[in-house]
């Protein structure tokens, strides 16, 4: 059976049963579990420090009303971070390369921030669609443009995360394939591509963390606009 470079993005299955749910729930096993002691080891200290750092960074743009979202945003950040990093391991499947999953994460949370704004401050939320001092002839076109830019926010969140992770995985597979093919014929070139592969892997580690942070940070900024 011929395999293409894009087969790595198809959901794995066992006996016809999709395993994407297993891949999605796996990161939860790496999170600290409740215990009768505050600190159970060095790993728990590192985990708690990371959770505290993430929460503090996400809550900086928000006022006190937005701090109610701390648990949701921090949990989403940890989920995306662990999922993206686990997807860089060999022979693994990355659920966040699926646009459908990313949209399923982005759309409900974006809609929740929008509904909160319309409920708490409807005039201010609707005022974002028409900046003050807009010339009268431009009002219909500007309202249409601002409404379109508002509605494509969840799509932009999902596409950004999907595109960055997919591009990185494809580059790693292309360069690793070239390294393997060139090893028997041109060892020197193969060693050079191996170095490039190592540097690209480090870059992808950074991209996996940055994209998870950007996804949640933009959601927190959308929340701040509506509270």
């Amino acid at each position: 059976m011929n395999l293409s470079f894009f087969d790595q993005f198809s959901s794995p299955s066992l006996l016809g049963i999709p395993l994407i749910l297993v891949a999605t729930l796996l990161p939860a096993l790496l999170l600290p579990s409740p215990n009768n002691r505050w600190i159970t080891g060095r790993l728990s200290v590192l985990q708690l420090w990371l959770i505290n750092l993430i929460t503090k960074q996400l809550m900086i743009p928000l006022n006190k009303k937005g701090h109610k979202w701390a648990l949701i945003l921090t949990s989403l950040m940890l989920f995306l971070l662990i999922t993206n990093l686990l997807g860089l391991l060999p022979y693994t499947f990355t659920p966040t390369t699926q646009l459908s999953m990313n949209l399923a994460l982005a759309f409900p949370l974006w809609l929740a921030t929008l509904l909160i704004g319309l409920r708490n401050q409807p005039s201010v939320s609707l005022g974002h669609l028409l900046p003050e001092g807009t010339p009268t002839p431009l009002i219909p076109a500007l309202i249409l443009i601002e409404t379109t830019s508002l509605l494509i926010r969840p799509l932009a969140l999902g596409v950004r995360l999907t595109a960055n992770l997919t591009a990185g995985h494809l580059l790693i597979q292309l360069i690793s394939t070239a390294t393997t093919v060139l090893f028997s014929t041109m060892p020197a070139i193969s060693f050079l591509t191996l170095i490039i592969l190592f540097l690209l892997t480090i870059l992808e580690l950074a991209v996996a963390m940055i994209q998870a942070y950007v996804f949640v940070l933009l959601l927190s900024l959308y929340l701040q606009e509506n509270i």
Side-chain angles (χ1 to χ4, degrees), residues 166-206:
T166 302
H169 283 64
L170 284 176
L171 280 175
I172 288 178
Q173 185 170 2
L174 286 170
I175 296 178
S176 61
T177 303
T179 303
T180 305
V181 172
L182 295 174
F183 181 75
S184 58
T185 56
M186 292 180 284
I189 303 298
S190 178
F191 180 73
L192 179 61
T193 56
L194 181 62
I195 295 176
I196 296 175
L197 178 62
F198 176 74
L199 296 177
L200 181 62
T201 304
I202 297 177
L203 177 62
E204 283 305 308
L205 287 173

Side-chain angles (χ1 to χ4, degrees), residues 101-206:
M101 175 176 172
N102 295 335
L103 289 179
L105 292 173
F107 183 77
L109 293 174
W110 165 82
L111 184 61
T113 62
L114 183 62
L115 294 178
I116 287 175
L118 293 175
R119 185 189 65 178
N120 295 336
Q121 44 183 15
S123 59
V124 177
S125 298
L126 294 176
H128 291 307
L129 302 179
L130 185 63
E132 187 177 355
T134 303
T136 304
L138 297 179
I139 288 178
L142 195 58
I143 291 177
L144 182 61
I145 292 173
E146 291 295 330
T147 303
T148 303
S149 66
L150 178 65
L151 295 178
I152 65 173
R153 281 181 174 182
L155 181 62
L157 282 175
V159 170
R160 181 187 297 107
L161 181 59
T162 303
N164 281 281
L165 295 180
T166 302
H169 283 64
L170 284 176
L171 280 175
I172 288 178
Q173 185 170 2
L174 286 170
I175 296 178
S176 61
T177 303
T179 303
T180 305
V181 172
L182 295 174
F183 181 75
S184 58
T185 56
M186 292 180 284
I189 303 298
S190 178
F191 180 73
L192 179 61
T193 56
L194 181 62
I195 295 176
I196 296 175
L197 178 62
F198 176 74
L199 296 177
L200 181 62
T201 304
I202 297 177
L203 177 62
E204 283 305 308
L205 287 173

Side-chain angles (χ1 to χ4, degrees), residues 3-175:
L3 298 178
S4 68
F5 288 122
F6 292 94
D7 286 334
Q8 61 176 315
F9 303 115
S10 60
S11 176
S13 60
L14 178 64
L15 300 177
I17 302 174
L19 298 180
I20 186 171
L21 183 60
V22 178
T24 305
L25 296 178
L26 181 62
L29 301 177
L30 302 179
L31 299 177
S33 57
N35 197 283
N36 56 0
R37 292 186 296 174
W38 283 101
I39 298 175
T40 57
R42 295 177 180 175
L43 180 59
S44 64
V45 173
L46 180 61
Q47 290 173 332
L48 292 174
W49 172 82
L50 179 61
I51 293 173
N52 182 47
L53 177 64
I54 291 174
T55 305
K56 187 181 298 183
Q57 291 297 321
L58 293 177
M59 293 301 106
I60 287 177
L62 300 176
N63 54 27
K64 290 186 177 180
K65 293 182 179 179
H67 290 180
K68 299 176 182 178
W69 285 59
L71 180 60
I72 297 176
L73 295 179
T74 303
S75 302
L76 179 61
M77 173 70 183
L78 289 173
F79 171 75
L80 292 177
L81 180 63
I82 297 174
T83 304
N84 293 349
L85 292 177
L86 288 179
L88 293 174
L89 295 175
Y91 303 104
T92 56
F93 171 69
T94 313
T96 45
T97 56
Q98 307 297 308
L99 182 60
S100 57
M101 175 176 172
N102 295 335
L103 289 179
L105 292 173
F107 183 77
L109 293 174
W110 165 82
L111 184 61
T113 62
L114 183 62
L115 294 178
I116 287 175
L118 293 175
R119 185 189 65 178
N120 295 336
Q121 44 183 15
S123 59
V124 177
S125 298
L126 294 176
H128 291 307
L129 302 179
L130 185 63
E132 187 177 355
T134 303
T136 304
L138 297 179
I139 288 178
L142 195 58
I143 291 177
L144 182 61
I145 292 173
E146 291 295 330
T147 303
T148 303
S149 66
L150 178 65
L151 295 178
I152 65 173
R153 281 181 174 182
L155 181 62
L157 282 175
V159 170
R160 181 187 297 107
L161 181 59
T162 303
N164 281 281
L165 295 180
T166 302
H169 283 64
L170 284 176
L171 280 175
I172 288 178
Q173 185 170 2
L174 286 170
I175 296 178

